[in-house]
Amino acid sequence: TRRRARMVELPPMELVRRDCRHMRWDRPCAPHKAEGARCRGCGHYDPVGKRILVIKLDALGDVLRTTCILPALRTIHPSAQVTWITLPAAMPLLEHNPFIDRVIPYGAEALAMLRVERFDISLCLDAAPRSAALGSLARAGEKRGFRLDARGRVAPIGAEARAWLMMGLFDDAKKANRRTYQEIVMGISGLAGLRQEIVVALSDEEREFARRFAARKGLAPGGRGRAIVGVNTGSGSRWPMKQWPAALCADLVRRLAGLRGTRVLLFGGEEEKARNAAIRNAAGAALVDTGCGNSLREFIALVGLCDLLVSSDSLGLHVALGFGKKVVGLFGPTSSAEIDVYGRGVKIVSDADCACCYLRACERRPSCMARISPSAVFEAVQGLLNR
């Protein structure tokens, strides 16, 4: 015999709490899946207050350090719903972030959303034209940052945005700047003076991935009398001049290996395969290579194992700072002033008179990064580890 389908009495639409933060529209909310909760009498009801849009597309390191605005936004607007538009490649950086409700990839989905939805506040924190165009499209009661006018010109909104635009246009303004990126972006967002820490969060699965790696390699994260020092001195292909020479990096690794109880992890991406192989061959058994084939989230989880990270001005540096780690940052062609190490690190800046040039290619030899000595970096590491 056929069983009759059991009819479920559905609540009228007016009883569905459509303003709840947990609403997902095309699938059940988390409380319903976990407990069978329904809108009427649900103890998880969390009504959305302000609707805030953040537009920050790239680069990866800049997207991550822009998360410094989120704790302050939540402090001022505790019930806000935060939507962030970014490039698909940057989306993993925002995963598991407790301050973000939605991450929308740049493209057709973002454009469709901007045509329909309204926001209370829009923060466009990129001065690039494609980002500023989104800032103009956003339907918001209050706009901060950048927009694009009808003639394709980027227009800053307010003095803070204007100052940042000038730094992007003129090298001398960039070199003269002494404010950190965090201070600047907080000012553009109208959040000056509030907490501005980078936010990095891991899932339980990602923590377990890092734990298993540590177990395989005989590492003891957080062990008394032990230290795990990461070395991340590459920079990918976009900014080759930010790389610290491989031979100097290998020299540093050998020095670090001589510190009692210290283990050294080597980090890199797909574009650092040949470079890291050269460092590994020169340093021998003195280091643990984390590999160059990790996903972005796996890379982040492995950086979390370190007590201290030595890094060029790259994504790895911002990840370590987001974890609250100690850092030694190496700077040549980019601004050291813009990097906030939160009192947990040392910035070693090349003594080249042309430093902070933002050139992607240079014929000068030795290069600005080659003028940073392994002994200076080693001393900085020792000083931080002894704190």
Side-chain angles (χ1 to χ4, degrees):
T1 60
R2 294 182 178 178
R3 294 181 179 178
R4 290 185 178 180
R6 186 165 62 93
M7 298 298 293
V8 176
E9 184 178 350
L10 298 176
M13 197 63 193
E14 59 266 23
L15 294 183
V16 176
R17 287 172 163 167
R18 294 186 291 171
D19 62 339
C20 181
R21 181 183 310 283
H22 299 291
M23 181 63 71
R24 294 296 178 265
W25 301 113
D26 59 345
R27 55 194 180 278
C29 67
H32 179 77
K33 293 296 289 185
E35 306 169 7
R38 285 175 170 261
C39 291
R40 177 178 288 181
C42 178
H44 300 282
Y45 175 52
D46 186 6
V48 170
K50 294 284 188 181
R51 303 187 74 243
I52 300 176
L53 174 66
V54 178
I55 301 167
K56 180 61 184 173
L57 302 185
D58 57 351
L60 294 182
D62 286 349
V63 170
L64 185 61
R65 59 180 176 167
T66 301
T67 60
C68 71
I69 70 173
L70 297 173
L73 282 176
R74 188 67 73 195
T75 297
I76 296 174
H77 308 290
S79 61
Q81 180 190 64
V82 176
T83 298
W84 191 309
I85 299 176
T86 193
L87 293 181
M91 290 179 69
L93 296 172
L94 305 177
E95 287 182 19
H96 314 302
N97 192 306
F99 299 104
I100 302 175
D101 296 281
R102 300 186 301 172
V103 180
I104 309 295
Y106 174 76
E109 182 179 351
L111 293 174
M113 181 266 289
L114 290 176
R115 285 178 61 90
V116 177
E117 295 191 32
R118 284 191 173 276
F119 297 88
D120 296 289
I121 301 171
S122 170
L123 305 175
C124 178
L125 302 175
D126 269 335
R130 64 177 176 181
S131 303
L134 298 183
S136 291
L137 289 175
R139 290 145 51 98
E142 181 179 355
K143 294 188 178 186
R144 302 170 189 168
F146 302 93
R147 60 181 179 83
L148 198 68
D149 70 16
R151 302 185 67 179
R153 300 173 298 192
V154 174
I157 304 171
E160 293 276 9
R162 180 182 180 279
W164 183 238
L165 180 63
M166 292 299 105
M167 281 183 250
L169 296 178
F170 302 106
D171 286 343
D172 53 345
K174 189 79 163 177
K175 196 166 187 175
N177 173 57
R178 291 296 175 266
R179 301 175 68 200
T180 68
Y181 176 87
Q182 284 88 327
E183 288 177 309
I184 293 167
V185 78
M186 292 287 284
I188 294 172
S189 303
L191 303 169
L194 297 175
R195 176 189 170 199
Q196 54 186 42
E197 285 273 358
I198 295 170
V199 181
V200 177
L202 295 176
S203 67
D204 291 339
E205 292 79 7
E206 290 162 348
R207 293 189 190 91
E208 178 61 18
F209 166 79
R211 188 200 65 78
R212 290 198 304 268
F213 177 89
R216 289 197 307 271
K217 301 299 182 180
L219 304 173
R224 178 175 293 182
R226 299 174 180 270
I228 297 177
V229 177
V231 176
N232 179 65
T233 58
S235 62
S237 60
R238 184 181 180 189
W239 291 100
M241 297 308 300
K242 292 197 292 187
Q243 292 186 352
W244 198 35
L248 302 185
C249 185
D251 186 329
L252 172 68
V253 170
R254 289 191 293 267
R255 293 171 188 250
L256 293 173
L259 291 177
R260 184 178 178 182
T262 299
R263 300 294 301 277
V264 183
L265 300 187
L266 180 64
F267 290 91
E270 288 288 342
E271 294 164 321
E272 275 89 39
K273 280 185 176 179
R275 167 191 164 80
N276 280 15
I279 294 171
R280 186 173 61 247
N281 292 337
L287 58 76
V288 174
D289 191 353
T290 63
C292 294
N294 297 304
S295 71
L296 187 50
R297 294 300 303 181
E298 289 169 344
F299 169 79
I300 292 171
L302 292 175
V303 170
L305 294 172
C306 300
D307 299 296
L308 183 152
L309 185 73
V310 177
S311 180
S312 56
D313 182 8
S314 62
L315 174 63
L317 183 67
H318 306 306
V319 171
L321 290 167
F323 277 127
K325 306 295 183 179
K326 298 176 181 178
V327 299
V328 175
L330 311 182
F331 298 89
T334 56
S335 171
S336 63
E338 286 183 15
I339 303 300
D340 189 347
V341 296
Y342 300 101
R344 300 188 291 266
V346 173
K347 294 187 279 190
I348 299 181
V349 184
S350 173
D351 62 1
D353 58 7
C354 55
C356 195
C357 63
Y358 278 86
L359 293 176
R360 297 186 183 182
C362 176
E363 300 300 323
R364 295 188 66 170
R365 295 294 180 270
S367 69
C368 56
M369 292 297 286
R371 296 170 68 100
I372 297 176
S373 72
S375 60
V377 180
F378 179 68
E379 289 174 10
V381 171
Q382 277 188 308
L384 287 173
L385 292 179
N386 289 335
R387 281 189 188 178

